[in-house]
Amino acid sequence: MNHQKVLILDFGGQYNQLIARRVRECNVYCEVHPYSMPLEKIKAYDPIGIIFTGGPNSVYEETSPHVDAEVFRLGVPILGICYGCQLMAWSLGGSVTAATDATAREYGKTETYFTPTCKLFHNLPEHGVTWMSHGDYMEKVPNGFSLVAHSDNCPNVAICDESRSFYGVQFHPEVNHTENGTKMLRNFLYEVCHAKGDWTMSDYLKTQIVALREKIGDGKVLLALSGGVDSSVAAALLAQAVGRQLTCVFVDHGLMRKNEGDEVEAAFAKWDINFIRVDAERRFLDKLDGISDPEHKRKIIGEEFIRVFEEEAKKIGKVDFLVQGTIYPDVIESGLGDSAVIKSHHNVGGLPDYVDFKEIIEPLRMLFKDETRQLGRELGLPDYLVMRQPFPGPGLAIRVIGDITKEKLDMLRDADAIFREECAKAGEDKNLNQYFTVLTNMRSVGVQGDGRTYDYTLALRAVTTTDFMTADWARIPYDVLDKISVRIVNEVPHINRIVYDITSKPPATIEWE
Ligand code: XMP
């Protein structure tokens, strides 16, 4: 890749991915590597700048992570954030101690005052809120460094040695709570590292197409398409690169949302590729008949998926490459460098071991989710595919509580479509990270027209979250909920009651099963 590169050395901070995303948002390519990356590799990487992340340790402890001091002699600009700042100070002859005095420890939003002549703070307001999270304190800054920011409690919030292009901040510029934080990172990238801003998706697309064509030659490529964002974008990229050498197998298990299967198929119709849509609804429903335990349902679906995929792969014969839609957060989370095999099962919930291929291609493994979406747009995928919310592999099977029938799935599909339509109409969809309906297996008495009904209760679920590990229930306005409720009970037969799930995760989970 010919892009300029920034190297992010990870010291175990909780925001390391966020730093990388911010740098990429500034149109500069970067990668996160462990702090232990050998010096020779750092040199070979040839970064225009290095960022040290925060981390949970104290630099003065013997076991805490350090860098080879030669890093400071490479002539490459360095920005240290929080622990990274203390590490730089400590490594270059300053001193760092535990803040015994509560005033020198800082957590949370802190009013901070900046020296605007420092390149990091150029053209930015002279004071603003920063996000702090440190219990250690830089008692003495190294020779050659100046103090360039302070807070009411702490005299040395940021340091710099502009002659060597070394900068350190105690706060976290990458989090949104820090006012102008991204602009500070941008100043580091553009004013200090002289970035050109050469990381754009259209450029990435061009270089990937060339690289993929070179790698694949006239080989055959197989991809399991789930209809999710990552596998759809990977498929579109490969379609553009190698056309008919690509076969996409889309296993339609009948547990998709309304019109989803057709939408996926339509999106790929414009490319001259081998697209196989396997209508496996009957197979899956037969296997799921009478099963109400959620884990049992998941297992059946995972296994059946593999069986169908295997059968199709066998028909195609020998393939050279298997494509996976692994994205960068998966790579970072599983430890850089070793992730290919671990994640080869990631997107389809398991692939057969003996599909005959010689290599896995992961064309998105350096992209964040939002970059993957951008790439999808560059490739001309429609927004309904690119902006899709996460959808679990077992699909609607885990949103019909208890045993599953086609009738129940159809009711759920219709109700879910109304929920999504009304959220979009009200502009609420932009505020929600995941939202769907659940068909409970509870029935209750109602009255419709002049008659008594004894029908199903449908639950609406909508959450806001950043990581899907914790989530808050979304405060959808009452009038929007009212509209949704009225429409569903009027338009979907056999649903006579709507409830809204107001539990967060924890203690609940996002899905009901
Ligand atoms: P929970 O319900 O555990 O969900 O809070 C967290 C996120 O994971 C998705 N999810 C799944 N995805 N297979 C998947 O591919 C599954 O079995 C599964 N279960 C939950 C869920 O939709 C949410 O985004």
Side-chain angles (χ1 to χ4, degrees), residues 298 390-394 398-399 434 468 505 509-513:
R298 277 192 169 81
F391 186 61
I398 56 165
R399 293 180 182 170
Q434 199 168 4
F468 296 88
K505 174 185 178 178
T509 54
I510 297 174
E511 304 284 349
W512 276 37
E513 284 199 337

Side-chain angles (χ1 to χ4, degrees), residues 74 89 123 145 163 183 196 201 203 285 301 318 369 410 424 431 446 487:
L74 295 176
N123 299 320
F145 277 78
S163 67
K183 288 183 181 160
K196 292 187 289 205
M201 273 307 123
D203 202 43
L285 293 193
I301 294 163
K318 178 153 177 48
K369 192 80 173 185
D410 285 340
N431 308 326
R487 270 198 69 191

Side-chain angles (χ1 to χ4, degrees), residues 59 77 113 140 221:
V59 285
Y113 307 88
K140 177 176 164 286
V221 185

Side-chain angles (χ1 to χ4, degrees), residues 188-474:
F188 175 69
L189 298 168
Y190 284 84
E191 299 222 7
V192 180
C193 305
H194 305 295
K196 292 187 289 205
D198 60 5
W199 173 247
T200 63
M201 273 307 123
S202 63
D203 202 43
Y204 180 77
L205 176 57
K206 280 187 216 132
T207 52
Q208 276 297 302
I209 300 263
V210 173
L212 285 168
R213 283 182 183 153
E214 214 165 86
K215 184 180 190 88
I216 294 165
D218 55 8
K220 269 195 201 172
V221 185
L222 181 64
L223 185 145
L225 188 62
S226 69
V229 178
D230 305 340
S231 71
S232 297
V233 174
L237 179 60
L238 266 297
Q240 186 129 325
V242 296
R244 286 204 78 78
Q245 289 163 253
L246 170 69
T247 302
C248 289
V249 177
F250 170 47
V251 178
D252 188 348
H253 50 26
L255 305 166
M256 311 286 263
R257 287 163 291 190
K258 194 168 183 177
N259 302 329
E260 202 164 11
D262 295 343
E263 284 173 3
V264 172
E265 191 169 354
F268 287 90
K270 67 178 177 185
W271 279 289
D272 186 21
I273 57 170
N274 301 301
F275 182 95
I276 301 172
R277 175 174 175 176
V278 189
D279 179 5
E281 181 182 45
R282 201 58 270 155
R283 271 178 84 148
F284 277 84
L285 293 193
D286 283 350
K287 282 263 154 53
L288 288 166
D289 188 32
I291 308 293
S292 53
D293 174 66
E295 286 317 303
H296 198 180
K297 288 181 190 174
R298 277 192 169 81
K299 229 168 166 238
I300 290 172
I301 294 163
E303 273 174 23
E304 198 58 14
F305 185 95
I306 294 172
R307 296 290 89 80
V308 178
F309 188 78
E310 258 170 15
E311 287 168 24
E312 294 305 317
K314 259 193 212 147
K315 286 184 207 158
I316 295 160
K318 178 153 177 48
V319 288
D320 302 282
F321 301 95
L322 184 75
V323 181
Q324 295 278 292
T326 314
I327 64 170
Y328 199 41
D330 307 330
V331 176
I332 297 181
E333 272 155 29
S334 54
L336 277 150
D338 307 321
S339 57
V341 178
I342 301 161
K343 290 285 170 180
S344 63
H345 292 189
H346 177 76
N347 285 290
V348 289
L351 282 176
D353 290 333
Y354 63 87
V355 171
D356 198 7
F357 60 90
K358 68 175 184 207
E359 204 179 327
I360 293 179
I361 298 181
E362 296 177 308
L364 313 177
R365 67 180 273 120
M366 284 302 156
L367 302 187
F368 284 110
K369 192 80 173 185
D370 41 347
E371 291 175 316
T372 302
R373 293 194 155 117
Q374 246 175 297
L375 182 64
R377 284 205 190 90
E378 285 287 334
L379 283 156
L381 283 178
D383 248 30
Y384 61 74
L385 271 190
V386 169
M387 294 312 292
R388 184 154 279 193
Q389 52 170 319
F391 186 61
L396 300 184
I398 56 165
R399 293 180 182 170
V400 170
I401 308 301
D403 68 314
I404 300 165
T405 63
K406 170 113 169 68
E407 293 65 39
K408 286 182 181 174
L409 286 166
D410 285 340
M411 279 158 62
L412 181 60
R413 269 189 272 267
D414 287 342
D416 192 69
I418 293 171
F419 185 31
R420 284 186 287 140
E421 198 182 304
E422 289 301 328
C423 284
K425 259 195 223 161
E428 283 297 311
D429 54 341
K430 292 170 197 68
N431 308 326
L432 307 172
N433 301 103
Q434 199 168 4
Y435 56 111
F436 52 88
T437 53
V438 176
L439 188 68
T440 76
N441 56 357
M442 195 194 82
R443 293 199 292 166
S444 69
V445 175
V447 52
Q448 258 167 319
D450 289 328
R452 175 188 190 271
T453 58
Y454 186 59
D455 277 330
Y456 285 101
T457 299
L458 181 99
L460 309 175
R461 179 65 161 152
V463 296
T464 55
T465 172
T466 49
D467 54 12
F468 296 88
M469 308 289 284
T470 60
D472 195 9
W473 62 275

Side-chain angles (χ1 to χ4, degrees), residues 147-181:
L147 295 174
V148 285
H150 67 274
S151 66
D152 293 330
N153 294 337
C154 185
N156 40 18
V157 164
I159 55 173
C160 77
D161 175 350
E162 298 213 289
S163 67
R164 289 187 284 176
S165 297
F166 292 161
Y167 297 80
V169 290
Q170 288 279 19
F171 57 88
H172 289 272
E174 69 277 18
V175 305
N176 279 333
H177 302 302
T178 295
E179 286 172 359
N180 298 306

